Amino acid sequence: MSLDDLHLNLRNLTADDYPQLKSLMDKVYDDIGGAWPKLTIDKLVSEFPDGQIVIEDDQTIVGVALTALVDYDEFSNPHQYDDLIGHREVILNQPDGDAMYGLDVLIDPNYRGYRLGRRLYEARKELCRSMNLRAILAGGRIPEYHQHADELSPAEYIEKVSRKEIHDPILSFQLANDFLVKRLLRKYLPEDEKSQGFATLLEWNNILYEPAERVLESRRTQVRVGAVQWQMREFDSVETVLQQIEYFVDALSGYQSDFAVFPELFNAPLMGLQDRAAQRDQLAAIRFLSGFTERFKTELSRMAVSYNINIVAGSMIEEADDGKLYNIAYLCHRDGTLERQAKLHITPQERRDWVIEGGDDLRVFDTDAGRVGIQICYDVEFPELSRLLAEQDMDILFVPFWTDTKNGYLRVRHCAQARAIENECYVVLCGSVGNVPSIENLDIQYAQSSVFSPSDFAFPHDAVLAETTPNTEMIMFSDLDLTRLTVVRSEGSVTNLKDRRKDLFDLRWRDWSWKSGANLEDN
């Protein structure tokens, strides 16, 4: 499967999806009877549409979670799977139930390894919170138990799985998703020979209560950002760099971050793979670096999908078809799509030593965790750009940067903080640290990555949500409340965006379509 063709979408199951659902269930559940009848699925979709969730790739269903509403007191006690099933295999969904019951989660075998099951579990949790339900319950099969039944009791087997001494494909996954084993169920699904009829009663408790809504269609209001203050170091291969990147992506994903942010030109140490004489030709060295960009784009897109996290891939050098070089930030969405933002303002050093060109496009990107913009380092020192993005309802501005001295860093920092105040948005500043004398084209580094907010009562008194220790490799997290932006923009102590004197001045983006040969008279 090519990542270029992968485009994932999370939505609710409909009755029209049954042929695809049946095909997938017959493939995955060939050992326990295959798919539910169409009548079963139609009734479940009709009675509890929000609880039936699918992941599709280009309109092909590749993952499914089926869920029913139940009475917590009844199903948190010993029961059998048949207690959920009525006449003609109708699932006994209780519209007034106070808990969700996970019936099935299944992933197409060809799509395993992308952590799609985790996405379905997270969607269930979001729905549970939004409906103010007490918990999610599930009877979990233990399909590897038959291999240990001669030496272990079911309780002993569960204990060993919980200690990770044994891996069970279902129980290990559920434990990794914050479910707790509440009790052992006997004769839960008698036809399940691999589990020998045993199952675990699993529970995830909802400690939050939010207004009820169709969660899959709602706009996210709570966003977690994770940034990597990256240490520049010598690398002996491309694989070593990618391994380091994946280490950080894995860590940020483990803390449920919606975004992983890397600094400007974070893969620059790869210029050190040339011999010292070749590195002295600065233009040739930067062209050499651009040769790795396509592979990095592919690998970072894979990580975004696999770890279910949007990646702001700092920036990398890209060589255009005409041979010109650009400094490009890539936004790798966790649905598999890839978008780009060029650096528009080029510093004197980039222009003189590397002959970097400035881009000519500025965009706000829609993500599943807000509307975001990206400005690479020097660009944030030009306030017009951020204001143009703010006029397109930008929530978060990401600023990957690379500065050598403290005064250079402070110039970027103070401008970034001003952009947060002026445009009533969050600004995430992410830089690199460390000095590598052995690499000819790597300057010294100074950074203190930070997250800035508007300056008002709903935010910290200094408008700094988080910041790292200067010049130390580390990761940084910050939880951003997008609802607070809406409030401050309309009801803040001051309302910068709303109070602009448009009768005195305005700001516009020039139409550069002529550069690509378009006829302006046709537009």
Side-chain angles (χ1 to χ4, degrees), residues 272-477:
L273 296 182
Q274 294 180 300
D275 61 48
R276 193 66 180 233
Q279 292 179 44
R280 293 193 180 99
D281 184 338
Q282 296 192 55
L283 180 56
I286 206 70
R287 285 191 184 277
F288 174 77
L289 182 63
S290 72
F292 300 106
T293 297
E294 282 302 315
R295 181 173 179 188
F296 270 69
K297 286 162 60 178
T298 298
E299 289 298 317
L300 283 159
S301 288
R302 175 190 64 79
M303 293 179 204
V305 172
S306 182
Y307 290 94
N308 190 25
I309 190 169
N310 301 300
I311 300 177
V312 180
S315 77
M316 292 176 273
I317 299 299
E318 179 180 289
E319 183 173 357
D321 293 338
D322 60 4
K324 292 182 179 179
L325 298 174
Y326 296 88
N327 189 349
I328 306 293
Y330 298 97
L331 175 58
C332 305
H333 294 260
R334 53 184 157 197
D335 68 0
T337 58
L338 179 72
E339 297 184 282
R340 64 197 298 277
Q341 174 63 63
K343 189 172 185 176
L344 305 183
H345 296 86
I346 306 304
T347 64
Q349 180 270 327
E350 287 176 292
R351 191 167 53 244
R352 179 186 63 247
D353 296 338
W354 294 341
V355 197
I356 302 293
E357 301 281 339
D360 54 19
D361 187 37
L362 182 69
R363 293 183 53 198
V364 168
F365 303 101
D366 278 309
T367 76
D368 56 13
R371 290 173 60 78
V372 309
I374 303 173
Q375 292 182 288
I376 303 172
C377 196
Y378 196 31
D379 278 340
V380 81
E381 298 180 29
F382 299 84
E384 299 90 348
L385 298 181
S386 301
R387 179 52 51 85
L388 287 166
L389 295 173
E391 289 178 344
Q392 300 176 62
D393 298 322
M394 175 183 64
D395 300 309
I396 308 168
L397 176 63
F398 293 104
V399 183
F401 72 95
W402 177 1
T403 53
D404 50 3
T405 61
K406 186 171 184 179
N407 65 295
Y409 161 73
L410 290 174
R411 186 169 58 242
V412 173
R413 177 189 175 98
H414 293 325
C415 288
Q417 189 159 25
R419 303 298 87 86
I421 294 170
E422 295 164 353
N423 299 297
E424 298 167 327
C425 66
Y426 295 110
V427 178
V428 180
L429 200 62
C430 182
S432 54
V433 301
N435 307 311
V436 191
S438 62
I439 300 177
E440 188 76 25
N441 286 285
L442 229 67
D443 289 336
I444 57 176
Q445 319 276 315
Y446 186 96
Q448 184 179 23
S449 302
S450 310
V451 180
F452 304 122
S453 71
S455 185
D456 213 324
F457 295 114
F459 306 98
H461 74 280
D462 57 358
V464 179
L465 287 168
E467 56 186 355
T468 62
T469 302
N471 287 348
T472 302
E473 183 171 65
M474 60 186 295
I475 57 178
M476 169 186 69
F477 296 97

Side-chain angles (χ1 to χ4, degrees), residues 65-80:
L66 302 178
T67 314
L69 291 170
V70 297
D71 178 76
Y72 176 85
D73 289 335
E74 179 180 356
F75 284 92
S76 61
N77 285 299
H79 63 277
Q80 297 179 355

Side-chain angles (χ1 to χ4, degrees), residues 31 54 82 129 153 204 264 291 450 489 513:
D31 60 334
V54 301
D82 284 346
R129 293 187 188 105
S153 68
W204 177 83
E264 179 183 18
S450 310
R489 288 168 182 170
S513 56

Side-chain angles (χ1 to χ4, degrees), residues 29-43:
Y29 289 161
D30 62 325
D31 60 334
I32 54 170
W36 289 104
K38 188 175 188 303
L39 173 66
T40 306
I41 298 301
D42 287 348
K43 194 168 189 302

Side-chain angles (χ1 to χ4, degrees), residues 104-335:
D104 298 288
V105 170
L106 56 153
I107 303 297
D108 188 312
N110 294 325
Y111 284 78
R112 288 174 184 166
Y114 290 114
R115 293 173 170 80
L116 302 187
R118 184 178 296 273
R119 297 194 194 199
L120 293 170
Y121 270 62
E122 290 300 321
R124 269 183 178 165
K125 292 174 184 177
E126 293 263 3
L127 182 60
C128 184
R129 293 187 188 105
S130 74
M131 294 182 67
N132 293 317
L133 300 175
R134 289 177 60 177
I136 302 175
L137 302 170
R141 300 169 58 206
I142 45 176
E144 298 299 316
Y145 176 60
H146 68 283
Q147 298 180 9
H148 305 271
D150 291 339
E151 56 188 16
L152 297 174
S153 68
E156 291 171 336
Y157 175 81
I158 292 168
E159 178 64 22
K160 284 186 175 291
V161 172
S162 68
R163 295 201 305 263
K164 298 187 177 181
E165 296 175 16
I166 298 174
H167 177 78
D168 184 279
I170 293 180
L171 180 55
S172 296
F173 174 73
Q174 290 163 326
L175 293 175
N177 281 275
D178 302 321
F179 278 74
L180 299 176
V181 177
K182 189 177 179 69
R183 64 177 75 248
L184 177 68
L185 299 175
R186 302 176 185 276
K187 298 181 181 179
Y188 179 73
L189 196 63
E191 63 267 33
D192 181 9
E193 296 179 358
K194 292 183 178 179
S195 303
Q196 298 195 357
F198 294 104
T200 56
L201 176 59
L202 297 131
E203 180 173 338
W204 177 83
N205 285 308
N206 175 24
I207 62 171
L208 302 175
Y209 293 90
E210 300 176 358
E213 57 187 341
R214 293 181 67 90
V215 169
L216 295 180
E217 298 175 2
S218 66
R219 179 178 182 269
R220 291 283 301 277
T221 60
Q222 302 293 325
V223 175
R224 177 165 294 172
V225 169
V228 179
Q229 186 157 284
W230 174 266
Q231 173 83 37
M232 293 291 196
R233 51 170 66 84
E234 287 187 73
F235 291 106
D236 57 12
S237 68
V238 178
E239 289 73 21
T240 306
V241 185
L242 291 170
Q243 184 181 47
Q244 185 72 22
I245 293 168
E246 188 155 5
Y247 166 79
F248 282 120
V249 170
D250 187 10
L252 296 175
S253 174
Y255 286 99
Q256 308 295 311
S257 290
D258 295 292
F259 292 96
V261 190
F262 288 87
E264 179 183 18
L265 298 181
F266 65 106
N267 68 345
L270 287 174
M271 288 187 285
L273 296 182
Q274 294 180 300
D275 61 48
R276 193 66 180 233
Q279 292 179 44
R280 293 193 180 99
D281 184 338
Q282 296 192 55
L283 180 56
I286 206 70
R287 285 191 184 277
F288 174 77
L289 182 63
S290 72
F292 300 106
T293 297
E294 282 302 315
R295 181 173 179 188
F296 270 69
K297 286 162 60 178
T298 298
E299 289 298 317
L300 283 159
S301 288
R302 175 190 64 79
M303 293 179 204
V305 172
S306 182
Y307 290 94
N308 190 25
I309 190 169
N310 301 300
I311 300 177
V312 180
S315 77
M316 292 176 273
I317 299 299
E318 179 180 289
E319 183 173 357
D321 293 338
D322 60 4
K324 292 182 179 179
L325 298 174
Y326 296 88
N327 189 349
I328 306 293
Y330 298 97
L331 175 58
C332 305
H333 294 260
R334 53 184 157 197
D335 68 0

